[in-house]
Amino acid sequence: MNQVHLHLLLNHVAILGTLFGLLLLAAGLIKKSEHLIQAALVTLILSAMTTIPVFLTGEPAEEAVEHLAGVAESAIEEHEESAEIAIWAMQALGLLSLITLW
């Protein structure tokens, strides 16, 4: 498994984990279940932690695909800019979840 595979795999884990965590949080708030809320917060913390290796493997993944036919450099740059915003948002969500869980 190389950096590109790792980047793609972990990226989906972070996205789906965040979605699952938010759905768990909504269910916990609706049902007023402390256990569901705690599970949601742990899921969000783990998803935030997963974004770190996703971000760190982004540059090597870029290097591997930037010279392939059909890959637009502008699309890669836009993706990179979005990733910088996303990692800060996810780290803030993870920290907020950790504080709330504590």
Side-chain angles (χ1 to χ4, degrees):
M1 181 177 298
N2 62 25
Q3 298 284 348
V4 177
H5 293 121
L6 190 59
H7 181 74
L8 292 172
L9 176 70
L10 292 177
N11 185 46
H12 288 90
V13 170
I15 292 170
L16 294 174
T18 302
L19 178 61
F20 182 67
L22 292 174
L23 290 173
L24 266 178
L25 183 59
L29 292 172
I30 290 169
K31 292 187 173 207
K32 297 182 173 134
S33 168
E34 191 171 322
H35 294 294
L36 277 179
I37 292 171
Q38 289 174 350
L41 294 172
V42 169
T43 302
L44 292 171
I45 292 166
L46 292 174
S47 293
M49 290 172 58
T50 304
T51 62
I52 296 168
V54 170
F55 188 77
L56 295 175
T57 58
E59 188 70 30
E62 176 186 358
E63 296 295 323
V65 301
E66 68 185 349
H67 301 294
L68 296 177
V71 176
E73 187 174 329
S74 62
I76 292 175
E77 292 302 319
E78 187 176 323
H79 178 79
E80 188 175 356
E81 290 173 13
S82 297
E84 289 175 7
I85 295 168
I87 190 157
W88 287 109
M90 282 302 299
Q91 296 311 301
L93 177 63
L95 183 60
L96 182 62
S97 297
L98 184 63
I99 291 168
T100 303
L101 186 62
W102 182 54

